[in-house]
Amino acid sequence: MTTALLRTADELHARVRSGRRAVVMTMGALHEGHATLIRTARAIAGPDGEVVVTVFVNPLQFGAGEDLDRYPRTLEADVKIAAESGADAVFAPSADEVYPGGEPQVRISAGPMGERLEGASRPGHFDGMLTVVAKLLHLTRPDLALYGQKDAQQLALIRRMVRDLDFGVEIVGVPTVREEDGLALSSRNRYLSPEERRTALALSQALFAGGDRHAAQEALRARAREVPATRARAEALSALGESRAAADAHAVSKAVPAAAAAVRAAARLVLDDAARFTPPLELDYLALVDPSDFTEIGDDFTGQAVLAVAARVGSTRLIDNLPLTFGAAS
């Protein structure tokens, strides 16, 4: 199979389509995380479908002082990776093709969710991201589009836009791909020196520490549900190392607030330690949020949540997150 390199929407629209078209949107500098997205798209589209990878460095989502000019542009290598991963075409339009009249006067607004966390740190970023995603969805006309869960807030906003504005496309989230040491794959990892990379590992280590604490508390709640609500239940919980005050089975099984606070605290310990490294980790935010609107979860929260972190190491800003489920069925 030969992977076509297309520069204009007309070239893409002229292709004969059979089966479903799956699109993977990227800003280039492809790595194994992108390759995983492309392979997943290939599996979903099937042999009769079509996989299109877009490569476009969108100027609208870079703020003042961010790395637009130094963002890596490696189109030849990108086409090779896309081909090896199963793409039928790479759509790499120019800025004039995407924005023929210059910067668009009408843009998509990310709303309140786009002003939190990443949006607070990077004002206007999500408006620019949603605007180019909307443009590329119209230009590529896919049946489904795949995005990585590493950019959890981005994924949530795209899903909200597609739902709220009635885009006729299925959005598929693909789990984060990590390097062997746990660092989430990112095109920006190439900016890290060896010393900065060692510090950067604190992001994933903090998430895993929070995840371990969450798992321990969920296991405790599960154990509480298994033991009858009698004196034996309290004794069983005490045997797990809980204090007498915590040994009441009902209290333990409903201890969602303590679980959320403990997850945050476990993650923050790792990040606080990394702030003393050389070079130090400069924390932007650590948050435990509801993925439907990216607000911090409340004391009575149950369901899916996201533990998210952003930090700067040297001149490189990195993000990562871990999905968690609070309050399994009781």
Side-chain angles (χ1 to χ4, degrees):
M1 178 184 71
T2 300
T3 299
L5 174 60
L6 311 175
R7 296 289 192 171
T8 69
D10 287 343
E11 290 177 297
L12 183 58
H13 298 165
R15 292 176 63 86
V16 177
R17 294 180 61 168
S18 61
R20 296 200 295 171
R21 174 178 285 173
V23 165
V24 174
M25 295 184 186
T26 82
M27 292 206 300
L30 301 192
H31 50 63
E32 180 57 26
H34 297 110
T36 298
L37 286 168
I38 299 166
R39 289 193 293 267
T40 303
R42 178 80 274 158
I44 295 174
D48 297 326
E50 182 182 43
V51 175
V52 176
V53 176
T54 70
V55 175
F56 180 66
V57 181
N58 178 34
L60 297 189
Q61 63 195 78
F62 287 82
E66 293 190 334
D67 55 357
L68 173 61
D69 291 337
R70 70 166 184 155
Y71 196 88
R73 290 159 171 84
T74 57
L75 183 59
E76 184 177 348
D78 294 342
V79 173
K80 181 179 179 181
I81 291 173
E84 291 172 348
S85 304
D88 297 288
V90 171
F91 178 49
S94 66
D96 288 339
E97 178 72 13
V98 178
Y99 303 122
E103 288 196 7
Q105 298 299 302
V106 176
R107 306 187 187 195
I108 301 290
S109 170
M113 183 162 53
E115 298 171 357
R116 299 171 186 135
L117 300 188
E118 283 299 290
S121 297
R122 306 174 67 190
H125 166 72
F126 284 127
D127 291 356
M129 180 276 295
L130 289 178
T131 298
V132 78
V133 167
K135 290 276 292 188
L136 289 172
L137 287 175
H138 289 313
L139 290 172
T140 59
R141 302 173 183 175
D143 299 288
L144 61 148
L146 294 85
Y147 302 89
Q149 291 178 357
K150 183 180 81 71
D151 297 296
Q153 193 171 3
Q154 170 180 288
L155 175 59
L157 281 162
I158 292 171
R159 282 177 165 152
R160 175 70 70 171
M161 177 183 74
V162 165
R163 183 170 66 251
D164 288 354
L165 302 184
D166 297 315
F167 281 65
V169 60
E170 177 187 353
I171 302 300
V172 178
V174 178
T176 300
V177 178
R178 299 185 179 277
E179 301 192 40
E180 289 185 4
D181 56 10
L183 188 67
L185 280 172
S186 170
S187 300
R188 290 185 170 93
N189 290 353
R190 68 185 66 194
Y191 300 151
L192 298 169
S193 70
E195 295 78 15
E196 289 171 341
R197 185 185 173 86
R198 284 194 290 271
T199 296
L201 291 176
L203 273 77
S204 56
Q205 290 167 352
L207 297 178
F208 298 154
D212 288 345
R213 182 58 179 161
H214 169 264
Q217 294 210 344
E218 289 296 316
L220 177 62
R221 267 210 301 272
R223 180 69 178 272
R225 288 193 298 269
E226 292 172 359
V227 182
T230 63
R231 183 180 182 86
R233 187 175 194 177
E235 291 172 351
L237 289 167
S238 293
L240 290 175
E242 298 299 304
S243 69
R244 180 174 295 275
D248 175 79
H250 180 74
V252 173
S253 66
K254 301 299 181 183
V256 176
V263 168
R264 292 186 183 96
R268 185 167 287 279
L269 280 175
V270 176
L271 297 169
D272 288 346
D273 191 37
R276 296 185 287 271
F277 290 175
T278 302
L281 181 142
E282 300 175 21
L283 182 64
D284 187 345
Y285 62 76
L286 171 69
L288 185 55
V289 299
D290 181 340
S292 69
D293 58 9
F294 270 70
T295 57
E296 291 281 350
I297 63 174
D299 290 347
D300 58 350
F301 183 86
T302 58
Q304 297 294 317
V306 173
L307 181 62
V309 64
R312 189 173 294 277
V313 181
S315 61
T316 304
R317 187 174 182 277
L318 300 170
I319 63 173
D320 202 350
N321 71 83
L322 186 69
L324 301 171
T325 302
F326 284 84
S330 55

